[in-house]
Amino acid sequence: MGIGALPLEAGGVLPSVTMAFECWGTLNATGENAVLILHALTGSTHVSRGESEEDGWWEGLVGPGEVIDTNKYFVVCANMVGGCYGTTGPSSIAEDGRPYGSRFPFVTIRDSVHAEAALADKLGITSWHAVIGGSMGGARALEWAATYPERVQRCAVVASCAASTAEQIAFAQAQVLAIRQDPHFAGGDYYDGAAPTLGLGLARRIAHITYRSETELESRFGRQAQGGDDTISHERLGTPGKGKYAVESYLDHQAHKLVGRFDANSYIAITEALMSHDVARGRGTLAQALAVAEGVEFLITAVDSDRLYFPAQSEELAAALPRDVPVRRIDSGIGHDGFLTEVAAVGDLLRESFFKD
């Protein structure tokens, strides 16, 4: 759906923006039974299988009779500005008929929230029953509550934080540089040639290490060799792919999956947006920035083994909210990705708080 031009926080305007989204259920006459679910960094709009044959990334959470019952609620998931799943991004065709490529502007989490608000206007949604997101989606959900508190009744921030920390920015910078230093990156204008798949794959490997806990990696792989390979071998130095540890093969697999479905420029654009995340930017202290959300009911949730978004960051966020909000824990040894793998636990927390009926 077209939303027109999008003014940008960094200055200038992104013209003629298209928003891609999926929806489930039916919007009621007052436009107030809508639920917005916001995806993580490389996530898509496909939260639930719905009428398709492909499971969603939060399968079992959304649908008829599920926690977010689509017999009652109208559920929307929109692709973030800068993405590559239909919303205007670097691979989109600009007004001159060529892909934006290196010309795509810097966008922030706040910019994408403004775009999502414009989409909500187009859909006739006056107020969200709930805005829910995990990881980068949690950053967007929090930004929604601070930017449009009058349009958000409930806000769930899962495995996220109030602002990206120096360590999170450091991990992100390494990923962005991995892509930019790929010889096929061509400054971002690679659409007529080979894509920078090696750089994107390396970026995914770096990221995925932070998505999983040390305990989980050790218990699954330890020091095992892949397929009976000998890791004490000269081949490790002279023959790429030989003498692998099992954990290396696992990271290779994760890289291969992402390279097959995601655009490298979009990875950079969205990663930069997440690096910019700071809900208090231009709004005073964190408490001052969140004071406007006094009428919003919050659910703040942390994964206890998360080493990317530490539970202490959820505690800091909760402490700055205008009302007393306890941090709920998801018990998982997986690490950050527990917000995706522990669907039942996420569902239980949402049912207890936002979807009691």
Side-chain angles (χ1 to χ4, degrees), residues 12-88:
V13 174
L14 184 59
S16 190
V17 173
T18 296
M19 295 291 288
F21 65 98
E22 290 186 55
C23 54
W24 302 260
T26 304
L27 187 65
N28 64 17
T30 61
E32 294 183 340
N33 71 326
V35 175
L36 179 63
I37 297 180
L38 300 165
H39 64 77
L41 187 74
T42 61
S44 70
T45 61
H46 197 59
V47 176
S48 174
R49 174 189 289 265
E51 296 179 357
S52 76
E53 296 182 356
E54 180 185 356
D55 281 349
W57 49 265
W58 256 352
E59 190 63 40
L61 195 63
V62 174
E66 302 291 358
V67 176
I68 306 177
D69 190 347
T70 50
N71 292 323
K72 301 178 181 179
Y73 298 102
F74 178 63
V75 181
V76 178
C77 183
N79 184 223
M80 182 170 164
V81 174
C84 56
Y85 289 129
T87 291
T88 299

Side-chain angles (χ1 to χ4, degrees), residues 208 212 217 220-221 246-254:
H208 202 77
R212 298 289 170 139
L217 292 177
R220 284 183 65 181
F221 305 109
V247 69
E248 293 178 297
S249 180
Y250 169 69
L251 292 176
D252 289 346
H253 173 66
Q254 296 299 325

Side-chain angles (χ1 to χ4, degrees), residues 39-343:
H39 64 77
L41 187 74
T42 61
S44 70
T45 61
H46 197 59
V47 176
S48 174
R49 174 189 289 265
E51 296 179 357
S52 76
E53 296 182 356
E54 180 185 356
D55 281 349
W57 49 265
W58 256 352
E59 190 63 40
L61 195 63
V62 174
E66 302 291 358
V67 176
I68 306 177
D69 190 347
T70 50
N71 292 323
K72 301 178 181 179
Y73 298 102
F74 178 63
V75 181
V76 178
C77 183
N79 184 223
M80 182 170 164
V81 174
C84 56
Y85 289 129
T87 291
T88 299
S91 60
S92 300
I93 303 301
E95 293 178 318
D96 63 359
R98 297 185 296 116
Y100 276 103
S102 63
R103 300 173 297 158
F104 191 77
F106 185 92
V107 297
T108 66
I109 296 293
R110 201 170 293 178
D111 289 331
S112 194
V113 166
H114 287 312
E116 291 152 15
L119 174 65
D121 292 340
K122 292 277 189 178
L123 294 174
I125 297 168
T126 56
S127 174
W128 296 105
H129 173 83
V131 177
I132 303 165
S135 193
M136 185 187 73
R140 290 158 70 193
L142 182 63
E143 190 64 51
W144 256 100
T147 305
Y148 297 102
E150 73 284 356
R151 302 185 68 168
V152 179
Q153 298 174 42
R154 299 164 186 85
C155 177
V157 181
V158 183
S160 193
C161 62
S164 292
T165 65
E167 182 176 69
Q168 289 156 2
I169 292 170
F171 279 125
Q173 188 242 19
Q175 296 166 49
V176 168
L177 283 180
I179 296 171
R180 290 192 178 279
Q181 293 179 1
D182 187 303
H184 294 303
F185 182 63
D189 296 313
Y190 52 79
Y191 293 110
D192 290 333
T197 55
L198 292 178
L200 180 58
L202 179 54
R204 182 59 167 186
R205 288 174 177 86
I206 296 167
H208 202 77
I209 294 167
T210 71
Y211 297 160
R212 298 289 170 139
S213 71
E214 186 277 335
T215 302
E216 198 249 352
L217 292 177
E218 183 64 24
S219 64
R220 284 183 65 181
F221 305 109
R223 295 185 51 79
Q224 296 177 60
Q226 178 66 22
D229 283 2
D230 185 0
T231 59
I232 309 302
S233 168
H234 296 301
E235 287 186 316
R236 273 190 64 84
L237 297 182
T239 308
K242 292 292 185 179
K244 279 187 178 181
Y245 291 96
V247 69
E248 293 178 297
S249 180
Y250 169 69
L251 292 176
D252 289 346
H253 173 66
Q254 296 299 325
H256 178 74
K257 285 199 305 181
L258 184 76
V259 164
R261 69 175 178 87
F262 214 79
D263 176 54
N265 273 329
S266 281
Y267 194 100
I268 291 174
I270 295 176
T271 298
E272 287 282 0
L274 185 54
M275 290 163 74
S276 79
H277 168 55
D278 181 359
V279 74
R281 184 173 56 253
R283 294 167 171 162
T285 66
L286 180 57
Q288 289 170 336
L290 297 175
V292 297
E294 185 175 6
V296 179
E297 180 183 347
F298 280 91
L299 171 65
I300 308 296
T301 301
V303 179
D304 56 10
S305 59
D306 198 335
R307 60 174 174 176
L308 178 59
Y309 291 94
F310 293 103
Q313 293 174 266
S314 295
E315 298 283 354
E316 179 186 12
L317 169 59
L321 292 171
R323 290 193 281 172
D324 184 25
V325 177
V327 175
R328 307 297 300 274
R329 298 294 184 102
I330 296 173
D331 182 16
S332 172
I334 293 289
H336 180 66
D337 271 356
F339 85 93
L340 289 171
T341 62
E342 310 298 338
V343 178

